[in-house]
Amino acid sequence: MRAWWEKFEQNCAAKGLEFRYVLETDVANCYGSIYTHSISWALHGKDEAYANRDKKSLGGKIDEHFQMMNHRQTNGIPQGNTLSDFIAELIFAYADNLLAQAIKDIDKREYSIVRYRDDYRIFTNRLDLGARILKELTEILAILGLRLNAQKTKKSSDIVLSSIKKDKIEELFIPNIKKEKDNFAKWLMQIYAASYKYPNSGMVSRQLNMFHEELLDYLDQGKSLRHYEKPEVMLSIVVNMAIKNPKYYNMAMAVASLTIRGAGESRRGLLVQKILDKFKIIPNTGLLDIWLQRVSYSIDPDLQFNELLTRSVSERAYIDNSIIWCIDWLKDDIMKTVRDTSIVDVDILQGIRETNKISIDRQEVDLFRDIPS
């Protein structure tokens, strides 16, 4: 189960930082449908396999043995053994190469495909692009005697939860979330699942507060995130939680700040950029931009955000406040004061830079709470 989580589910969940949609599908009756001649195609190429089909190539010998195990049938291989798993992987790798050729005209930054055995996930920011890739995949698999399971083919805008098996999600939906201090990623996923069932709830806010407190205490001991606590996964979880639940904006970004801190200095800039790219394709994320600028200021003070208010900080120069607010309805003297008065405390900015402060603490979050918890 850990192999499934680390190799597939976590990889898929991390894609939530880069993409908005996921198309899920798998192969129907996979092992029972495999065309045995495709083994030679995978090993030698289809043209060479046809040209040398009378010769005893390695692929031809394997094909023949599998047919003999199945009453000379060319469709289907035995299931439940390591050899069949290996042969199936060869065929799917061959299909992967064919798919890569079929969509080579598409910019690779526009999509990502993750496969675990016969399970596929197609990530993209454009549903029409995902549909095209799915169509190409369907046609390629058909050549190999395989077909996608129509009942399990679906699209979703919730990449994080779509990455988790449904029975696991049900297990996560519990009111009393278990504190997983030995696995912060798992604990955070539990909170995310609760936020899905109880959006913008006080219970989830309290859980985020508790999580933030425990992670901050852990990092203050001079520790870093453990190898199985993937920063990309944790950030994907908390960023998507914030986007879907405005009530959690402040504390979610505080948790994100700790995750970036715990990832290590060499990775921080890249992680911030991934979050920034995510926000740029989501509308109405101005407040999240402001929080992200607070997190990233000690890493890169020159990052540019969509939110106009951030320009007062990033440009570190005189900014005409009329760019930020509509003030032409004010009296002249008041309008001049509002326009020309800096809203940035440069001493605080300097302190953030000098101390390399990435973490957002509880006191800072509480400044923006309507009702203290």
Side-chain angles (χ1 to χ4, degrees):
M1 294 304 293
R2 170 159 284 193
W4 172 273
W5 166 248
E6 291 188 348
K7 293 181 181 179
F8 188 74
E9 292 183 335
Q10 287 207 37
N11 193 6
C12 290
K15 298 296 182 183
L17 269 179
E18 304 173 60
F19 301 101
R20 298 182 66 180
Y21 305 106
V22 57
L23 285 77
E24 308 173 48
T25 191
D26 69 3
V27 175
N29 188 27
C30 176
Y31 284 69
S33 302
I34 286 178
Y35 186 48
T36 59
H37 291 340
S38 65
I39 300 172
S40 287
W41 304 349
L43 287 172
H44 310 295
K46 193 172 184 179
D47 292 339
E48 183 178 340
Y50 270 122
N52 299 287
R53 59 182 178 272
D54 294 331
K55 297 180 180 179
K56 296 297 183 181
S57 65
L58 175 61
K61 290 179 180 179
I62 297 174
D63 178 6
E64 183 178 2
H65 282 297
F66 272 115
Q67 289 184 47
M68 291 173 65
M69 285 189 283
N70 194 25
H71 308 288
R72 285 291 178 182
Q73 297 296 312
T74 57
N75 286 95
I77 64 174
Q79 189 170 352
N81 63 87
T82 304
L83 177 59
S84 291
D85 291 344
F86 177 71
I87 294 301
E89 185 59 28
L90 281 177
I91 294 170
F92 278 108
Y94 175 63
D96 292 346
N97 288 330
L98 294 178
L99 180 60
Q101 288 298 312
I103 60 175
K104 63 182 179 181
D105 60 305
I106 304 176
D107 189 335
K108 291 182 179 179
R109 293 171 296 183
E110 293 284 318
Y111 70 93
S112 181
I113 303 172
V114 179
R115 178 180 62 81
Y116 183 84
R117 295 189 177 178
D118 64 332
D119 281 275
Y120 287 86
R121 301 290 187 272
I122 301 169
F123 301 90
T124 181
N125 288 315
R126 291 171 42 199
L127 286 175
D128 61 325
L129 189 61
R132 182 204 156 175
I133 295 173
L134 189 62
K135 178 177 180 293
E136 297 283 0
L137 176 62
T138 301
E139 294 174 354
I140 288 168
L141 292 178
I143 296 172
L144 304 176
L146 303 171
R147 62 181 179 84
L148 296 178
N149 191 331
Q151 293 182 334
K152 292 186 178 181
T153 300
K154 54 189 175 182
K155 64 178 182 288
S156 175
S157 59
D158 195 319
I159 291 177
V160 173
L161 280 185
S162 295
S163 303
I164 311 302
K165 294 173 70 176
K166 297 300 178 284
D167 57 336
K168 284 189 176 182
I169 293 175
E170 289 302 316
E171 184 180 357
L172 290 171
F173 282 150
I174 51 176
N176 298 314
I177 296 173
K178 181 181 178 182
K179 293 167 65 174
E180 296 278 358
K181 294 184 182 180
D182 60 341
N183 191 332
F184 283 108
K186 182 177 179 180
W187 184 4
L188 193 58
M189 179 60 80
Q190 289 182 308
I191 298 174
Y192 182 90
S195 75
Y196 183 83
K197 192 169 186 179
Y198 309 105
N200 292 302
S201 67
M203 181 269 289
V204 174
S205 290
R206 290 188 293 273
Q207 290 294 333
L208 273 176
N209 292 339
M210 189 185 306
F211 180 90
H212 178 272
E213 181 180 341
E214 295 290 349
L215 181 55
L216 179 60
D217 180 67
Y218 176 82
L219 295 175
D220 282 347
Q221 297 175 40
K223 300 177 181 178
S224 298
L225 293 175
R226 289 156 288 212
H227 69 92
Y228 50 83
E229 295 166 330
K230 309 294 185 185
E232 291 85 356
V233 175
M234 294 177 64
L235 286 173
S236 178
I237 293 170
V238 75
V239 166
N240 280 282
M241 189 191 309
I243 290 171
K244 299 174 191 299
N245 298 272
K247 184 173 182 177
Y248 312 146
Y249 275 4
N250 303 344
M251 185 52 72
M253 292 308 296
V255 170
S257 75
L258 297 183
T259 304
I260 292 170
R261 171 187 165 186
E265 186 173 355
S266 63
R267 303 178 65 186
R268 290 169 183 165
L270 177 61
L271 293 173
V272 167
Q273 188 61 53
K274 284 190 173 185
I275 300 174
L276 179 57
D277 291 342
K278 174 76 171 181
F279 287 167
K280 284 181 177 179
I281 61 174
I282 304 292
N284 305 317
T285 55
L287 183 55
L288 292 174
D289 274 352
I290 294 171
W291 276 112
L292 183 59
Q293 186 181 51
R294 159 62 187 86
V295 175
S296 65
Y297 189 76
S298 65
I299 300 170
D300 184 356
D302 298 317
L303 277 178
Q304 298 297 310
F305 301 83
N306 287 336
E307 171 57 42
L308 285 175
L309 195 57
T310 63
R311 291 181 55 188
S312 298
V313 174
S314 62
E315 297 186 10
R316 297 192 302 283
Y318 170 75
I319 296 295
D320 184 342
N321 288 334
S322 63
I323 296 175
I324 302 172
W325 296 301
C326 175
I327 60 175
D328 55 6
W329 56 276
L330 296 172
K331 292 182 179 179
D332 289 346
D333 56 337
I334 299 176
M335 181 173 63
K336 185 177 185 302
T337 300
V338 173
R339 184 190 63 203
D340 298 339
T341 301
S342 174
I343 60 174
V344 176
D345 190 325
V346 293
D347 292 335
I348 291 180
L349 288 180
Q350 184 176 352
I352 290 174
R353 290 284 288 166
E354 290 176 351
T355 60
N356 194 29
K357 185 179 181 183
I358 299 172
S359 301
I360 298 175
D361 56 33
R362 176 65 183 270
Q363 183 179 7
E364 195 170 347
V365 171
D366 284 346
L367 291 173
F368 301 92
R369 286 184 180 276
D370 294 328
I371 303 175
S373 59

